[in-house]
Structure formats: structure tokens, C-alpha cells
Amino acid sequence: MASTEYTYKRGEFKVTEQIKSDFDRDGYIIVRKLFDEEEIENLSRTLENENGGMRKMAYQESDGAGATLTMIQWKHPGTDVSGIIARSRKMVGISEKLLGGEVYQYAGTVNMKDARSGGQHWWHQDYGYWYNNGLLFPDMLNVFIAVDKADRANGCLQVLRGSHLAGRLDHKRLAGQTGADEERVKQLQKVLEHVYVEMGPGDALFFHCNLLHRSDQNRSDRRRRVYIVSYNRASNNPVYEHYNASYTPLDIVDDEEIKTCSNHTDFSGKEFMDPDDNKNISGTKVGEN
């Protein structure tokens, strides 16, 4: 099995034919150290600070198994540190190479699993419900950035390698979440590798919107925070207006601005989601990783 892991080196990292082939075959690649310690610290100050930070916009839901899901979701990048990351040359550049064309931010998400209480997510594909929002093609990916160390103990992401090649599965309501058809998932688990994606702070997982993924509850004494940027091909503009973004050109910024950005409190322009309104066209409330 060829590697799906690469290490980012500023000025040297490029999406080669091999990296693109890995993504197309497995449905994901891992780029270790895409963000350094200083960049992650600046992002962390935006998520939580003396003024509350972005966490003030969080909402909570039961995971259906006795634990709690804590999420923040929004439409547009904005000008705070999270927005600078979403508009940075390295993030946009890698995503455009993997998807084969111009991209824009479809959604931004922070998923927080607090120690001993963070909830689980069932097996699902993000295109499983995005499909219902008028996205005609699965020309989409997520960039899943570890803010804290993520391992089996605190509920790291799990994927079925190559499951995106099975196409979009039927999804239904499952313990309050949107989950993939359980029988179909069981059959795929028999023939595909189940990977626990353990990550250090600053590592990034780029994964296709049809890749099956899930995560367990956080039963450790450590929190697990991740920042997820969802990109859509500009050519795949949704045919319906809905809670996520229609095509909006990105104002791309230099990577150096991730460290120099001092905006940790002004979130204007992001358009945070009200969980009561956070439903797709079919009326199904969305879930994340």
C-alpha cells in the first residue's frame, strides 16, 4: 500500500502526480505539520480567549449515546485567524490541485470534544447530506486540521480507505445524527481498511466528500479540537440557496498572515449558523466529524 502521508516543508511542498494519485485512490492524504506551533497557537487564541472567542458561537447536541457534541459552523471565511487559514495560499493551493480547479469555502466548522464528555459521530459521508443541498457533483473536500493531539483515546477521526469509490450511500436519521446506511457500511468494512487517523497539532487531513468517516467519544482526560474547512469547486455552485455558501471568490492571502493576524474577536462576515435553522433542503439537520 502506497503512503498517504506527507510532511509539509515551506517552499518545497507541491502536489505531485503521486500525491494526486494517492488522493484519488484512497480518498484522502495526510499532510503532517502543515501548520507550525505558532500558527496553531494563533488559531487557538481565536477559538478560546478571555473574551470567549469563537466558542461563544458554539451549540451542543446529544450524540445519542450519553455524550455531547459541541460544534461551531459558519458560511464565509471572514478576517479572523480561522479565515486567514481558509484563504491561505497553502490551503487553497493544495485543495485546488486535488479537486482540479478553482475552489471556494463552502463551510467552516470547529468540532470540540471536551475531556470525558465529547460525543461520537456515526459513519457518514458529508456528500451524503450535501447532495440534498443542490450540489450536483461530489467535487468537494474537507481539510481537517488538528488543533490538539488526536488519537484513539480522545476520539480521533476514523476512515474507510477508498470508500469514496463506492459513491454516495443512502443516509438516514440515526440517534439524532445523519448516518450512512448501516448494512452498506458493514459490507464495505469487510473489504476496505479501517484507518484510525492519529494526528498531532498542525497536521491536516484532506479528504474527499464521499469518504466514509466517523469518530468515537472522547473518554480521555484530554480535549480534542479540530478546525474543518470545506471547499467546493467553483464550477459546482449549488442550485439552491441554503445554509452553506454559494460560490464566493476567495481573497487569497500569503501564508505569513496566519502568524501576523491579530484578529481574535471580530467575526463579522462569517455568518454563523443557528442550530435550529441548520437544516438542508430535505429538512435533515447536518452533522460533522
Side-chain angles (χ1 to χ4, degrees), residues 17 27 32 75 89 105 125-126 205 261 264 269:
E17 290 185 7
R32 302 289 184 190
K75 274 189 176 184
R89 292 191 185 280
Q105 178 176 300
Q125 302 162 310
D126 292 330
L205 174 75
C261 180
H264 305 114

Side-chain angles (χ1 to χ4, degrees), residues 80-99:
D80 63 284
V81 178
S82 71
I84 296 298
I85 287 174
R87 295 189 284 118
S88 65
R89 292 191 185 280
K90 57 185 174 183
M91 283 277 284
V92 176
I94 295 172
S95 298
E96 290 188 337
K97 289 292 187 181
L98 294 176
L99 287 179

Side-chain angles (χ1 to χ4, degrees), residues 17-254:
E17 290 185 7
Q18 182 61 59
I19 292 175
K20 179 65 165 64
S21 176
D22 291 342
F23 180 81
D24 291 343
R25 181 194 64 233
D26 295 334
Y28 71 94
I29 60 166
I30 302 169
V31 181
R32 302 289 184 190
K33 300 180 180 178
L34 182 61
F35 300 96
D36 64 26
E37 184 176 349
E38 188 177 349
E39 290 170 324
I40 289 298
E41 177 57 32
N42 208 22
L43 172 61
S44 185
R45 284 199 297 271
T46 301
L47 301 184
E48 299 174 276
N49 55 52
E50 61 273 12
N51 295 313
M54 199 181 291
R55 186 164 184 136
K56 292 189 297 186
M57 311 299 182
Y59 64 91
Q60 295 185 324
E61 294 181 346
S62 169
D63 72 346
T68 302
L69 301 169
T70 302
M71 292 176 285
I72 313 166
Q73 295 179 304
W74 62 93
K75 274 189 176 184
H76 303 294
T79 59
D80 63 284
V81 178
S82 71
I84 296 298
I85 287 174
R87 295 189 284 118
S88 65
R89 292 191 185 280
K90 57 185 174 183
M91 283 277 284
V92 176
I94 295 172
S95 298
E96 290 188 337
K97 289 292 187 181
L98 294 176
L99 287 179
E102 180 191 356
V103 301
Y104 73 96
Q105 178 176 300
Y106 179 63
T109 303
V110 171
N111 184 296
M112 298 178 171
K113 292 193 180 199
D114 292 330
R116 296 288 178 184
S117 61
Q120 67 180 334
H121 291 270
W122 304 99
W123 285 111
H124 68 283
Q125 302 162 310
D126 292 330
Y127 193 63
Y129 43 86
W130 288 344
Y131 168 95
N132 294 312
N133 296 336
L135 282 305
L136 299 182
F137 301 96
D139 296 336
M140 311 172 75
L141 60 72
N142 290 312
V143 188
F144 184 96
I145 304 164
V147 181
D148 305 303
K149 180 180 179 181
D151 53 30
R152 291 196 188 201
N154 68 354
C156 69
L157 199 71
Q158 304 166 39
V159 303
L160 290 184
R161 187 194 298 266
S163 57
H164 66 304
L165 298 176
R168 177 186 177 270
L169 275 59
D170 290 336
H171 283 63
K172 63 181 181 180
R173 298 299 288 164
L174 183 65
Q177 299 181 38
T178 304
D181 180 272
E182 294 173 277
E183 179 57 31
R184 196 75 170 184
V185 171
K186 287 179 182 178
Q187 296 302 323
L188 287 169
Q189 286 178 301
K190 295 177 181 179
V191 297
L192 297 175
E193 181 183 3
H194 182 168
V195 180
Y196 286 79
V197 185
E198 296 189 306
M199 305 169 71
D203 292 347
L205 174 75
F206 291 74
F207 70 94
H208 190 276
C209 63
N210 267 334
L211 187 74
L212 280 164
H213 57 286
R214 64 155 292 139
S215 61
D216 292 332
Q217 292 180 352
N218 182 1
R219 300 185 181 278
S220 77
D221 293 323
R222 295 172 288 112
R223 65 183 177 181
R224 193 220 74 170
R225 297 172 299 167
V226 296
Y227 171 35
I228 306 161
V229 183
S230 302
Y231 291 110
N232 183 28
R233 275 271 301 261
S235 60
N236 194 37
N237 197 34
V239 298
Y240 309 129
E241 289 289 335
H242 60 285
Y243 59 87
N244 282 337
S246 295
Y247 172 61
T248 307
L250 287 172
D251 180 11
I252 300 172
V253 299
D254 291 335

Side-chain angles (χ1 to χ4, degrees), residues 259-273:
K259 293 181 181 180
T260 60
C261 180
S262 59
N263 179 12
H264 305 114
T265 57
D266 180 3
F267 305 126
S268 57
K270 298 180 82 70
E271 296 188 36
F272 289 94
M273 297 179 189

